[in-house]
Amino acid sequence: MNIEEICRKYNIDHYTINDDKSIDVEGDLNLHDKGLTKLPLKFGSVSGNFNCSDNNLTTLEGSPENIGGYFSCSYNNLTDLKGGPKSVQGGYFCS
């Protein structure tokens, strides 16, 4: 699948594809409870909240570098937070 197909599959709107094939998203991004074992894309920046909780993630590789709202990766199979965001303006939830 290409980036546009993946965005359609996960209802990701208002995005820009960067030169490095990461995507920036304007607004919130909800990947909650999608049965993911890894993030489907590499994300650059998300201006709102980023929720990838309640999946089967074993890594945060591909997480946005910068998030304008909160970041939630709770209820996954993570053993560490490597690959997680570098900047989160809101809360960072990882219970």
Side-chain angles (χ1 to χ4, degrees):
M1 263 194 268
N2 66 32
I3 293 173
E4 289 88 359
E5 291 170 331
I6 294 168
C7 287
R8 275 194 300 277
K9 178 179 179 178
Y10 293 104
N11 298 313
I12 301 170
D13 296 321
H14 310 319
Y15 62 90
T16 303
I17 301 173
N18 300 311
D19 291 339
D20 66 356
K21 304 296 183 211
S22 68
I23 68 168
D24 293 340
V25 178
E26 183 66 36
D28 296 338
L29 183 52
N30 185 7
L31 296 173
H32 170 264
D33 197 21
K34 303 286 186 197
L36 300 173
T37 56
K38 65 179 187 173
L39 293 173
L41 295 163
K42 179 180 177 192
F43 296 95
S45 295
V46 173
S47 68
N49 302 316
F50 185 90
N51 184 353
C52 59
S53 61
D54 291 296
N55 280 291
N56 297 306
L57 298 176
T58 57
T59 179
L60 291 177
E61 292 298 322
S63 291
E65 296 274 323
N66 304 296
I67 299 173
Y70 70 77
F71 175 72
S72 179
C73 61
S74 298
Y75 306 107
N76 278 292
N77 296 320
L78 300 169
T79 56
D80 59 47
L81 300 176
K82 290 179 186 168
K86 293 183 176 163
S87 171
V88 178
Q89 299 302 307
Y92 194 121
F93 306 102
C94 56
S95 61

